[in-house]
Amino acid sequence: MVFRYVLIALFLFSACNSSHDEEELNDKPDDNPVEEPERTGLDRVNLPDGFMISEFAEVENARSLALSPSGVVYVGNRQGNKVYAVKDSDGDGKADKKYTIAEGLNSPNGVAFMEGDLYVAEISRVLKFNNIEAKLDNPGDYEVVYDDYPTDGHHGWKYIAFGPDGKLYVPVGAPCNICKSEDPVYASITRINPDGTGMEIVAEGVRNTVGFDWHPETKNLWFTDNGRDMMGDNIPPCELNRVTQKGQHFGYPYCHGGDIADPEFGSERHCNEFKKPVWNFAAHTAPLGMKFYTGTMFPEDYKGDIIVAQHGSWNRSSKIGYRLMRVKVEGSAATKAEVFADGWLNDRAQEAWGRPVDVLQIADGSLLVSDDKAGKIYRITYEK
C-alpha cells in the first residue's frame, strides 16, 4: 500500500514539473519574430467589417460637398479661392472629370445645388451660377444673391444647404473664440430665399456650425457645433443639436454642452434658459459635416443614423478626432455615438495625415468624404 502511494506521488510531481517547464518554454521570445508590415495609404483607415474605402477624386483643400441629380459633385474650398466640380462619368467609382468652376473667391467653403443652379458661399456673400451643368467647361459670370453677411474672417467660412422648405440655410459664426456680439446675426443660423430675399435668423447661440442636415422623417434641422477653446483639454464638449422651432437659443456664449457655465459670460444667464444638445462629443474633436444615412448599400441598421466628420483638434495636449463618428438615432433622440472610421491620426507619433471635413451620400448609397489636409475625396462602400 505504501509503495503504491509513493508511485502516485512521484507521478504527480513529474507531471507538475513537466507542465511548468512547458510554460517556461512557451514564454521564451521567438528568435525570429514576424513583424507586421507598416500600413500605408488608405490601408491606414480602420472601418467596420464589410466596409471599404477608396480614392474618389483629388481636389486641393477639399471642403464642403454638394451633389446634383445628374451625379456631379461640387467641392468648396476654404484656404484657397476656388470651387470645383468632379464627376464619375463611366461609373467605376472614381471621378474621371474635374472642372474649375470659379477662382479668385474669398474662402468659398459652402456649396449647394438647387434646380440647375449652383450656390456658393463666400465669407460675406452668396453667389449663384445659373444653369451650371450646361456650361461646366466655361461657367462664365456668377450672380450675387446676397452680400450683407459680416466680413469677419474668424469663423467666417460657411457651410450651406437647402432645407425641405426650399430655403437656403447659411450660418454666421462667432467672430472670436468667446465673445458677446451686439449684432444678433453673429453665432446664428440664418436662411434666405433662393433669390436672396427674406433673410431671417433660425437659431441663436450657435458658436460655429460647419455642417447640418434634416431628419428624414421629422424634417427637423440637426447641426454640429464646435465648442470654445482655452478651457482645458476636456471641456467644453463639441455638440450635436436639433432645432424644433424657429428662434431657439443653444447657449453660446453663456453656456456650453448644456450645463457648463462659461467662466466669462456664464453669470449673466442660466444654462436652463437654453436648448440642450442631443449629444455631446469629446472636446476639441471639431465635428463638421454630417449626414443622415438614407441609402440601401450599408447594412439596414445604419438607416436613419448620422455619420459625422470630426476634423480634429488643434490646441489639445494630445490630439483627438480626425475620424468619422456614427451617431445612433432612435426617433428624435441620439442614443449612442461610436467611431465609424479612423486612422487618419497616428496616435503614437501624434501626427495626422488627413482631416475629414464633410460627408455626402451619393445615388448608389455609398458615402463620399472630403479631406482638406490630404486634398482628397474618398468613397466608402459596403459589401456583404
Side-chain angles (χ1 to χ4, degrees):
M1 180 70 71
V2 172
F3 180 74
R4 186 169 61 185
Y5 286 148
V6 170
L7 288 177
I8 293 172
L10 288 172
F11 174 79
L12 292 173
F13 178 79
S14 174
C16 288
N17 276 329
S18 175
S19 176
H20 183 68
D21 289 344
E22 185 176 322
E23 288 174 2
E24 285 186 345
L25 182 64
N26 288 341
D27 283 342
K28 290 181 180 179
D30 190 342
D31 290 335
N32 298 296
V34 177
E35 294 186 4
E36 292 186 8
E38 183 179 355
R39 294 193 295 172
T40 60
L42 289 179
D43 287 340
R44 292 171 288 185
V45 177
N46 306 303
L47 284 160
D49 290 344
F51 287 90
M52 293 167 288
I53 187 168
S54 59
E55 182 179 318
F56 179 76
E58 184 172 344
V59 179
E60 183 181 359
N61 194 236
R63 293 280 296 186
S64 298
L65 305 173
L67 180 69
S68 75
S70 71
V72 177
V73 177
Y74 296 92
V75 191
N77 189 280
R78 175 189 160 192
Q79 293 180 346
N81 60 16
K82 297 180 175 64
V83 176
Y84 299 94
V86 294
K87 185 174 184 179
D88 173 16
S89 61
D90 58 8
D92 67 350
K94 185 178 178 68
D96 51 79
K97 292 186 177 180
K98 180 179 176 181
Y99 308 89
T100 299
I101 301 301
E103 51 189 327
L105 302 180
N106 185 11
S107 192
N109 185 86
V111 286
F113 192 88
M114 171 65 82
E115 295 181 350
D117 301 328
L118 173 66
Y119 290 74
V120 174
E122 294 182 286
I123 286 180
S124 64
R125 306 190 300 176
V126 175
L127 316 176
K128 181 171 74 169
F129 294 82
N130 292 294
N131 196 23
I132 184 64
E133 296 192 359
K135 47 186 178 181
L136 287 171
D137 287 312
N138 185 21
D141 293 335
Y142 53 77
E143 172 188 344
V144 178
V145 171
Y146 189 87
D147 64 356
D148 201 26
Y149 285 113
T151 59
D152 306 74
H154 197 123
H155 297 153
W157 56 93
K158 292 172 170 51
Y159 175 92
I160 59 173
F162 280 95
D165 55 8
K167 295 178 182 288
L168 183 66
Y169 285 67
V170 186
V172 180
C176 54
N177 172 38
I178 185 76
C179 60
K180 185 169 66 172
S181 304
E182 295 301 321
D183 188 340
V185 78
Y186 287 110
S188 76
I189 300 175
T190 74
R191 65 185 174 194
I192 58 177
N193 295 320
D195 63 1
T197 61
M199 197 280 275
E200 59 183 344
I201 293 175
V202 176
E204 301 177 75
V206 181
R207 180 176 177 271
N208 183 37
T209 179
V210 196
F212 42 82
D213 196 13
W214 286 263
H215 190 286
E217 295 178 0
T218 69
K219 308 306 179 184
N220 287 155
L221 172 65
W222 293 51
F223 66 91
T224 58
D225 196 10
N226 286 207
R228 66 156 291 180
D229 299 308
M230 310 310 175
M231 284 182 66
D233 274 0
N234 300 313
I235 60 170
C238 293
E239 301 173 4
L240 177 64
N241 291 288
R242 176 170 59 100
V243 180
T244 54
Q245 62 184 36
K246 178 186 168 185
Q248 288 175 324
H249 197 298
F250 292 84
Y252 178 88
Y254 311 100
C255 183
H256 312 288
D259 57 7
I260 301 173
D262 185 78
E264 185 173 350
F265 297 102
S267 61
E268 298 182 23
R269 297 183 66 175
H270 196 279
C271 284
N272 288 341
E273 299 179 48
F274 309 115
K275 190 82 160 51
K276 296 186 181 301
V278 294
W279 193 265
N280 282 332
F281 296 111
H284 306 294
T285 50
L288 301 186
M290 57 156 285
K291 287 292 183 298
F292 285 94
Y293 186 77
T294 59
T296 57
M297 177 183 285
F298 290 8
E300 179 66 23
D301 65 347
Y302 277 78
K303 188 166 289 188
D305 290 350
I306 304 171
I307 304 297
V308 180
Q310 292 188 337
H311 198 225
S313 58
W314 65 270
N315 66 337
R316 194 175 186 274
S317 59
S318 59
K319 290 182 171 64
I320 190 172
Y322 308 89
R323 62 195 180 191
L324 302 180
M325 299 293 291
R326 175 191 179 187
V327 179
K328 290 287 296 178
V329 177
E330 296 180 10
S332 295
T335 60
K336 180 183 178 182
E338 60 188 17
V339 175
F340 173 64
D342 65 4
W344 286 278
L345 171 67
N346 183 321
D347 285 307
R348 182 179 299 176
Q350 283 289 283
E351 294 179 355
W353 59 271
R355 303 188 75 180
V357 177
D358 198 12
V359 292
L360 178 70
Q361 180 186 306
I362 58 176
D364 65 359
S366 62
L367 200 70
L368 300 186
V369 181
S370 60
D371 178 342
D372 61 351
K373 182 176 178 64
K376 306 285 187 180
I377 299 173
Y378 312 116
R379 179 171 175 254
I380 296 178
T381 57
Y382 177 80
E383 290 186 7
K384 294 181 181 180

